[in-house]
Amino acid sequence: MVKPPRDLIERLTEDLRPVKPLSAGRLLGLALVFAAVTLIWVLGIYGMRPELSDIEAALTQTRFALFKPLLWGWAGLSALHAANALSRPEGRCHWSDLAPLPLILISQATGLWWAVAHGGWTAALKGGFGGATLCGLTIIVSACVAMRLITPLWLNRTASSQPRLLRLTAALGFATLAAAAYALHCPMDQPYYTLSVYLPAVGMVLLIEGWQGR
């Protein structure tokens, strides 16, 4: 094999610069900016659910209105923590960071089973599917837009040994943060609504980003 001239190698590499990885703090900052924009969108256009206009009253209700957005917000920040860990070659995903999503699934499935067992399907599905399309589109559109903006700023500056998993955990983080923002507006707290609207919307984001990352 003929070796290339040394000066050719130097000319080809003279403009190369090391890429500085985005720190965890900056990733969190981008996530919070995204969450704030989504929150402004949801509350500015759709409005906040009535129970949350008075926090003291909301805290005394049997159905804690803040529980749903707090749970989705925990899921979002936890998934982004996993994404940050995966952004380095030696990084590994701690599956405990992804535990909130199975916890949501199991708790809501258990709640639906309990409602059906004690009141039948008619009682369990009481309330209908109001706002389902709006909820799903808000989560999908805002998360996909965030990924299109974040990818060149952060994902392309990583050196992950598991780039596809990194992309999926980042998408999960943004999708669940979008769900948390929408939950501040959504009065539908029934388990069937989470299982048939929120979780499929998050799943659609993961499918889209999984396909994009092939």
Side-chain angles (χ1 to χ4, degrees), residues 132 135-140 143 175 194 196-206:
C135 176
L137 286 177
T138 299
I139 294 171
I140 294 170
T194 299
S196 59
V197 179
Y198 279 87
L199 285 172
V202 172
M204 183 60 68
V205 173
L206 296 180

Side-chain angles (χ1 to χ4, degrees), residues 19-53:
V19 176
K20 184 179 180 181
L22 199 61
S23 66
R26 292 181 182 178
L27 171 61
L28 179 60
L30 288 172
L32 292 178
V33 168
F34 157 74
V37 170
T38 306
L39 189 62
I40 292 170
W41 169 17
V42 169
L43 299 185
I45 297 178
Y46 312 147
M48 184 178 289
R49 61 184 292 176
E51 301 95 320
L52 295 180
S53 59

Side-chain angles (χ1 to χ4, degrees), residues 181-204:
Y182 189 82
L184 290 171
H185 157 75
C186 179
M188 305 295 287
D189 298 327
Q190 299 89 333
Y192 76 86
Y193 198 87
T194 299
L195 292 170
S196 59
V197 179
Y198 279 87
L199 285 172
V202 172
M204 183 60 68

Side-chain angles (χ1 to χ4, degrees), residues 46-68:
Y46 312 147
M48 184 178 289
R49 61 184 292 176
E51 301 95 320
L52 295 180
S53 59
D54 185 347
I55 296 299
E56 288 189 14
L59 293 174
T60 59
Q61 290 179 346
T62 304
R63 190 181 294 274
F64 183 27
L66 276 175
F67 178 73
K68 186 169 64 174

Side-chain angles (χ1 to χ4, degrees), residues 107-121 124 191 195:
S107 64
Q108 295 303 300
T110 303
L112 179 60
W113 170 80
W114 182 266
V116 172
H118 288 78
W121 281 103
L195 292 170

